[in-house]
Amino acid sequence: MECSPIGTVHTPFETTSEAPRQGPHSDAEGIVDVDPAYREGLTGFDAERVVVVWWADRADQDVLTLDRNADRGVFTSRSPARPNPVCITECTVVSVDPAAGRLRLHGVDMADGSPVVDLKATL
Amino acid sequence: MECSPIGTVHTPFETTSEAPRQGPHSDAEGIVDVDPAYREGLTGFDAERVVVVWWADRADQDVLTLDRNADRGVFTSRSPARPNPVCITECTVVSVDPAAGRLRLHGVDMADGSPVVDLKATL
């Protein structure tokens, strides 16, 4: 099951360790740039919130328990370190330009340059 | 970015079209079976809710707008049909057996047999 990036997210966090642990605790703004081939997927985008699915490409994929607590498995946490480092961050949409493939978001927690694999409507 | 299944979900829905559109509207129960190699990731699992990240392996990956409405891009929706069919369903945990790698869940909306790529704590 091959995940192809649909774009990239730009944030103020150079590394995963600088990034806040979870989006809801983040006041940071970031930009998602959707690659030209996928911009049609933003047609009619007018939501105030969006779920960003991204790949923590610098995360350790060879761990099953938490570094800070070996009594907790990775599936009990939101740590990016896990077999498939697919991460989920719900953000507020500050502005969107579907034609340019650009979303300006509030509440980002990704490391700068992380690949984005999906954008979804919130529930 | 290769996603490896960590397990499989078993639900009453034979096909994606039978599955409810979104977990919150589902009263169905299902089972996630985590593969032996990943069961350690369930260590200490005691949550009442869990986020299941799964791969809609029968979804159309070659669409950017909705079948039912070409004025809406897939990134404005939760449809499984999208370039990377990574789906997210938050479920209630009915019971869990970490050693057996088995979670019994309420509120499933996956097609039976879908690969599971991650389990996460809710926020």
Side-chain angles (χ1 to χ4, degrees):
Chain A
M1 302 180 303
E2 176 66 23
C3 265
S4 306
I6 62 150
T8 306
V9 61
H10 304 286
T11 74
F13 310 114
E14 270 191 45
T15 63
T16 308
S17 56
E18 277 178 42
R21 288 214 167 260
Q22 291 157 356
H25 303 298
S26 164
D27 270 331
E29 283 201 5
I31 299 281
V32 169
D33 276 323
V34 175
D35 294 343
Y38 297 103
R39 287 181 191 165
E40 192 184 352
L42 290 172
T43 303
F45 191 102
D46 59 2
E48 290 175 16
R49 305 269 294 164
V50 65
V51 176
V52 181
V53 184
W54 53 284
W55 188 270
D57 57 349
R58 282 145 279 180
D60 185 352
Q61 293 186 237
D62 293 322
V63 287
L64 288 171
T65 55
L66 302 183
D67 266 359
R68 61 183 189 279
N69 181 357
D71 293 338
R72 306 295 298 186
V74 292
F75 301 142
T76 72
S77 85
R78 301 278 291 198
S79 164
R82 54 184 60 241
N84 296 301
V86 175
C87 298
I88 301 164
T89 307
E90 189 174 320
C91 297
T92 300
V93 180
V94 178
S95 64
V96 57
D97 182 341
R102 175 162 284 208
L103 297 95
R104 190 178 187 93
L105 302 177
H106 185 265
V108 298
D109 65 351
M110 309 82 165
D112 185 43
S114 297
V116 175
V117 297
D118 200 13
L119 299 167
K120 285 183 195 301
T122 55
L123 290 182
Chain B
M1 301 179 304
E2 177 65 24
C3 266
S4 305
I6 62 150
T8 306
V9 62
H10 305 286
T11 74
F13 310 114
E14 271 192 43
T15 63
T16 307
S17 56
E18 276 177 44
R21 289 213 167 261
Q22 290 157 357
H25 303 299
S26 164
D27 270 330
E29 282 202 4
I31 299 281
V32 168
D33 276 323
V34 175
D35 295 343
Y38 297 104
R39 288 181 190 164
E40 192 183 351
L42 289 173
T43 304
F45 191 103
D46 59 2
E48 291 175 14
R49 303 268 296 163
V50 66
V51 176
V52 181
V53 184
W54 53 284
W55 188 270
D57 58 348
R58 281 146 279 180
D60 185 352
Q61 294 186 238
D62 293 323
V63 287
L64 287 171
T65 54
L66 302 184
D67 266 358
R68 61 183 189 279
N69 182 356
D71 294 338
R72 305 295 298 186
V74 292
F75 302 143
T76 73
S77 85
R78 301 280 289 198
S79 164
R82 52 186 60 243
N84 296 300
V86 175
C87 298
I88 302 164
T89 307
E90 190 174 319
C91 297
T92 300
V93 180
V94 178
S95 64
V96 58
D97 181 342
R102 176 162 283 209
L103 297 93
R104 191 178 186 93
L105 303 177
H106 185 264
V108 297
D109 66 350
M110 309 81 165
D112 185 42
S114 296
V116 175
V117 296
D118 201 13
L119 299 167
K120 286 183 194 299
T122 55
L123 291 182

